[in-house]
Amino acid sequence: MGPLSARLLMQRGRPKSDRLGKIRSLDLSGLELLSEHLDPKLLCRLTQLQELDLSNNQLETLPDNLGLSHLRVLRCANNQLGDVTALCQFPKLEELSLEGNPFLTVNDNLKVSFLLPTLRKVNGKDASSTYSQVENLNRELTSRVTAHWEKFMATLGPEEEAEKAQADFVKSAVRDVRYGPESLSEFTQWRVRMISEELVASSRTQVHEADSPEKPPEAGAAHKPRARLAALKRPDDVPLNLSPSKRACTSPSAQVEGGPVAGSDGSQPALKLEPLHFLQCHSKNNSPQDLETQLWACAFEPAWEEGATSQTVATCGGEAVCVIDCQTGIVLHKYKAPGEEFFSVAWTTLMVVTQAGHKKRWSVLAAAGLRGLVRLLHVRAGFCCGVIRAHKKAIATLCFSPAHETHLFTASYDKRIILWDIGMPNQDYEFQASQLLTLDTTSIPLRLCPVASCPDARLLAGCEGGCCCWDVRLDQPQKRRVCEVEFVFSEGSEASGRRVDGLAFVNEDVVASKGSGLGTICLWSWRQTWGGRGSQSTVAVVVLARLQWSPTELAYFSLSTCPDKGIVLCGDEEGNVWLYDVSNILKQPPPLPAAPQAPTQILKWPQPWALGQAVTKTMVNTVVANASFTYLTALTDSNIVAIWGRL
């Protein structure tokens, strides 16, 4: 279904008319509409519309400026809605239908009743009982927030009152004011924030979370010792359970320095990228002073349609997993696990059947780390719908199989890789996972990479002791297997047993790996290497090219690839992003030059401002771009998520 047209609205509207302004009832159900199809400029011409049916479409949100001020009946059943706050634009709404939206929870029902006090029916049921519940909750929360305000202000001296209220009160209220069951905490914290902001505004005090303390801590992170994953500190014993929020560092008009770095043929054009957002959304206790939480992994959500691209990225570090809209820089969702330290995230997309019998695509996010647990997150509803007790030691990385949407690999410090089938969720969105295979390693596995040309048959892993490959075919009898082949990068050299901490396929044949040689990234051929192995258990890779990278001796800078564009990405210890257009390199006739190829471009660290000063240096642990290379996300050792956009 494409964008709506005036002709279609007149065909589906009642009474029949050649003027949109006379239509009172409109049926747009079952048209496979997406949110972007609802054109506010067109729909606002329906000045007399009272009844609108948007059921059985694919809407994720409602535009907040539709202008339907007379709307009294709205049907949005069987969509993909994940938020209800846009409904406040319909102040005269009396009947609302939201059944079959799997991402909406009881908290959203309460929000609806609060936002639309004229509602009489919700999902065909009388709304008065829910409205009474909301009134009681609202009355109690208002009383508690007001008492908290009075207590808070009484502890401040006159000279510090305004400053303290600006910086601390809203955060303090969201953190400390509690009422009702935990299942309603999303609604209660949402209301606590609104009430506390209204109190501050009524006192003519504006809240600015980014106020700088008098003595900010050192913002630079370049002189911190590089911690190994297993040696990371645990979060505080009793972290605060704050609502999802975004901390943004403002940046001066940063330029992309370094620009193009000419390749051997001098023909690579520089990609034009600009820094868009800098976020501190993983801070311990939501503190703006936290410039130390290490961020380790990120992944873009799979696109919902073939040929489309995603601008939603999941990031992990500390005790939090965040889901961010790269275009706006808004943290859409935030999941916290007190006592956890997340090291890895991975997406899959399942086709689930709702209670009404409708098939819906559902993105599932897996997150894992220090505790050896895999949490399967219902992102849009904001809760964990399954926990796999996968390993007794920390999980370094995980990935879903591209061949089977429910198959998940986990790699742990217990020197095991396990293949799980997470199964399909039941009607309560709960998972029951089963173990399929156990792969033993001789050293700690750091990166996992299903072989692009045969992902259901072979798995590559970059480990502390090198690069290994396993047979993962499920039609084989052994359920516990040892490494089938070990790959070496320089036969007879000390480099053969070195750590491989970066591993990804550039295309179905070419592998990019890092760690086997100091200051370089290796491009090698899977097809030629595997084809020439014979019966050997140790095989030298067929090197196609080497890429020049930072000469640092520090480890755990993970590389990534953008296969559709032939691009390799890697961060470094100075905050830079190294970008290589390897499709251009691989088109050169053999033999390729022995010297490492220069990067196509180096994006310099833009030095954003935090706590009143520039964050001058930081380590970029990982860099990931979406499939169309329109957005690039870099994670740092200094609790900053940096998002770049392509011009």
Side-chain angles (χ1 to χ4, degrees), residues 388-461:
I388 305 173
R389 301 186 181 279
H391 298 269
K392 292 183 178 180
K393 292 188 177 181
I395 296 173
T397 189
L398 47 76
C399 74
F400 279 97
S401 166
H404 302 280
E405 60 187 6
T406 64
H407 287 189
L408 175 68
F409 291 99
T410 60
S412 170
Y413 282 82
D414 62 13
K415 299 181 182 178
R416 289 188 179 92
I417 300 169
I418 297 179
L419 173 60
W420 304 87
D421 187 344
I422 66 171
M424 298 296 289
N426 60 24
Q427 290 186 344
D428 295 323
Y429 301 102
E430 297 171 336
F431 287 90
Q432 292 293 330
S434 58
Q435 185 172 329
L436 301 178
L437 288 178
T438 299
L439 313 176
D440 291 319
T441 68
T442 57
S443 61
I444 297 170
L446 303 172
R447 309 287 176 230
L448 297 179
C449 189
V451 173
S453 59
C454 52
D456 54 350
R458 297 287 185 276
L459 175 73
L460 286 178

Side-chain angles (χ1 to χ4, degrees), residues 533-570:
R533 73 180 182 95
S535 59
Q536 301 175 76
S537 60
T538 301
V539 180
V541 302
V542 178
V543 177
L544 302 176
R546 296 188 186 274
L547 309 177
Q548 177 190 347
W549 183 65
S550 168
T552 180
E553 294 184 0
L554 297 174
Y556 310 119
F557 297 98
S558 178
L559 64 79
S560 69
T561 60
C562 191
D564 290 348
K565 303 296 181 181
I567 288 173
V568 176
L569 298 163
C570 194

Side-chain angles (χ1 to χ4, degrees), residues 9 11 184 201 306 318 332 351 375 377 414 424 534 610 617 622:
L9 298 188
Q11 287 176 347
L184 303 183
E306 189 174 350
L332 303 174
M351 187 67 71
R375 291 173 168 86
L377 306 181
D414 62 13
M424 298 296 289
K617 288 185 179 180
T622 190

